[in-house]
Amino acid sequence: MQVPLLDLKAQLAPLREEILREVTEVIDSTTYIMGPKVAELEQNIATYCRVPYALGVSSGTDALLVALMAMGVGPGDLVLTTSYTFFATVGSILRLGARPLFVDIDPVTYNIDPDKMAAALAEDPARTARIKVILPVHLYGQCADMGRILPLAERYGIPVLEDAAQAIGADYPMVENGKTVWRKAGAMGAAGCFSFFPSKNLGGIGDGGMIVSREEALCEKMRIIRVHGDAGRYEHHVIGGNFRLDPLQATVLNVKLPHLPAWHQGRRANAAVYQRLFGEAGLLASGKVRLPEAVYREAAAETSGNPEYHIYNQFVIRVDDRDGVIRFLQQEGVGAAIYYPVPLHRQQCMAGLGYEDVCLPETEKAAAETLALPIYPELTEEMLARVVDRIAAYFG
Ligand SMILES: *Cc1c(COP(=O)(O)O)cnc(C)c1O
């Protein structure tokens, strides 16, 4: 039995006819740039995230780039972020001539460690004065600890931009006036960025992205940057670019969005099956396999409304002898992948930028020990059992 890491055909099949009908309508309409489908998706995502503003853009990468541009990031600036993320997080900082200031991750969530962030902010006031934006990533579908990150950022007067590319719909239990209020990923900082790359929980049939925000003035800047800085009638107030979302992508995403909660639910159910099967196989007690922890699950159990405490864009485990395990799984027809094998501060393109002596032990450890298993909602219990059985066979 083959178990792929992701099977988009299984997701497409029940929606195919509706998508084809809607896409045909757009083609026949000849409205190929922006238009009602993009506006509809923006409204739908804003409603879903409970924010007033949403801006469709060309990709998750461009969402980050546009937001950082609007926040005034440029040469000489620092952006505090993580080295354990997809390249786009850091690439967008570097493209603007700014530099990332890396903070190590929490080994359980793989997200920025707020204690280490506090230490980094306190360490060197002259350096902290150069930090223009704090850019946490909600990796694998679970929010960074925003209840600690936001007050710290506020104390230093630095705005927060959320890279929520892997976490659309994920909820965070914010404690406000002694009460837990669930907030959507992307809706907590000054702005949040989503990606509709096909392998994300909400994926298009190509590239696409979205920025959400509660700040009107910031959104106005981003709206203009999206179209070459054109404030209307070819009056270019700032230098922007072509960062528009394709209406064909918006059309497909409008069809898919209503299914997103059920897909999130399916991924969480699969995570629970893995928990049971790995336990039964004795691999958790032996410590050979360590499963991801949903750190906000307890808070979710104590509140009503069934919050999305984790959306499992990836199901990332730690194993002994990671490279041996992944080679074996690939031989056995089980899709597994490493996100991410080389931390960004160790990438070739960062050479010569002064990151040689950066020390991020938890980041390095995660890069060496983790692998992602299939978690997409259409997996059957048989397929999940096959994955666990093959890992058990390896450690046999
Ligand atoms: C996917 C992703 C992006 C970039 O999104 P694209 O749509 O592929 O440009 C940025 N950050 C993270 C963490 C991602 O996973």
Side-chain angles (χ1 to χ4, degrees), residues 69 77 86 99 104-105 123 130 140 149 188 212 218 315 341 346 353 376 378 390-391:
M69 286 169 82
D77 294 333
F86 177 60
R99 293 284 179 263
D104 207 1
I105 53 169
E123 190 179 315
R130 290 171 53 211
Y140 305 144
I149 291 171
M188 294 176 273
V212 293
L218 181 63
F315 188 82
R346 299 272 174 245
L353 297 184
Y376 64 91
E378 296 83 4
R390 289 299 82 200
I391 294 175

Side-chain angles (χ1 to χ4, degrees), residues 59-61 64 85-86 88-89 137 163 165-166 195 197 200 208 340:
S59 68
T61 304
L64 290 165
T85 172
F86 177 60
T89 314
V137 180
D163 182 342
Q166 299 185 7
S195 162
F197 187 81
K200 305 291 159 92
Y340 298 89

